[in-house]
Amino acid sequence: MTSFQEYVASLVSCGTLDVTIDFSRVPAVTGDLEREARASRALQAMEELENGAVANGDENRQVGHYWLRDPARAPAAELRSKLVETQERVKEFARKIITGAIVPPEGGNFRRALICGIGGSALGPMLTYDALGRSNEGLELVFLDNTDPVGYSRALDAMSKTELAESLVIVISKSGGT
């Protein structure tokens, strides 16, 4: 086998993800071929998910939350259109909250958002918020994860009635069925 053929044989590609892993410079170690095969299977599984494969067998549904980051990757035109439309509606709602076009029932402005979720629906946004830090713009975010009732109580107990009245409640459900 020529050097070029060895190089080509060492590539693992996943076309629709535009990802190619080059194993040609990795020293051969026992198990490398198995690791390469597992990486190839993982990339293939990711490609199948992006193409709309059912991944949640219990609920017989697609798992495409990553389509929210890039609606063009959604497997059907109707779905892409719904994603873009929903994103625009959410952005418009957020603009109205920030500018004061939508206000709390008792008047004033929203000053914080209570983000309610289960597990990853709360923990993912919380990690991002904590990692990036709080901006001086927009709303303060308070995360309520129902898998942490003590944290839930602590967050709510720390707020006065006025602070609660100035809080927008956002409930997150990745599946839409929670």
Side-chain angles (χ1 to χ4, degrees):
M1 188 181 298
T2 68
S3 295
F4 181 73
Q5 288 170 328
E6 287 177 8
Y7 166 73
V8 171
S10 72
L11 296 176
V12 176
S13 294
C14 184
T16 53
L17 293 178
D18 289 332
V19 172
T20 301
I21 300 173
D22 175 6
F23 287 95
S24 67
R25 302 284 186 203
V26 177
V29 182
T30 304
D32 276 351
L33 293 178
E34 178 56 32
R35 280 190 290 278
E36 182 178 338
R38 284 194 312 261
S40 181
R41 286 191 302 271
L43 290 170
Q44 180 62 38
M46 288 172 59
E47 185 172 356
E48 290 170 8
L49 285 175
E50 286 200 354
N51 288 328
V54 171
N56 186 330
D58 293 343
E59 297 176 16
N60 194 33
R61 65 178 171 85
Q62 298 168 318
V63 178
H65 48 274
Y66 45 85
W67 298 332
L68 296 172
R69 291 187 293 276
D70 185 4
R73 290 189 180 272
E78 182 180 347
L79 179 56
R80 286 190 291 276
S81 173
K82 285 182 180 179
L83 288 168
V84 169
E85 178 188 318
T86 300
Q87 287 176 338
E88 288 305 314
R89 287 184 15 231
V90 168
K91 288 176 186 175
E92 180 60 23
F93 178 75
R95 278 190 286 278
K96 288 179 177 178
I97 293 293
I98 298 301
T99 62
I102 296 177
V103 298
E106 297 177 17
N109 289 312
F110 286 106
R111 302 204 184 286
R112 77 198 42 74
L114 303 179
I115 311 295
C116 304
I118 297 174
S121 292
L123 296 175
M126 184 187 320
L127 172 68
T128 302
Y129 186 70
D130 289 346
L132 297 178
R134 174 148 172 23
S135 165
N136 290 329
E137 298 177 21
L139 305 179
E140 172 191 1
L141 302 183
V142 177
F143 294 90
L144 306 173
D145 177 2
N146 80 335
T147 62
D148 179 16
V150 173
Y152 209 102
S153 293
R154 188 180 309 123
L156 292 177
D157 290 345
M159 283 187 249
S160 69
K161 287 186 180 189
T162 301
E163 290 172 319
L164 281 172
E166 298 171 337
S167 299
L168 174 70
V169 178
I170 300 172
V171 179
I172 300 173
S173 170
K174 289 187 293 187
S175 70
T178 304

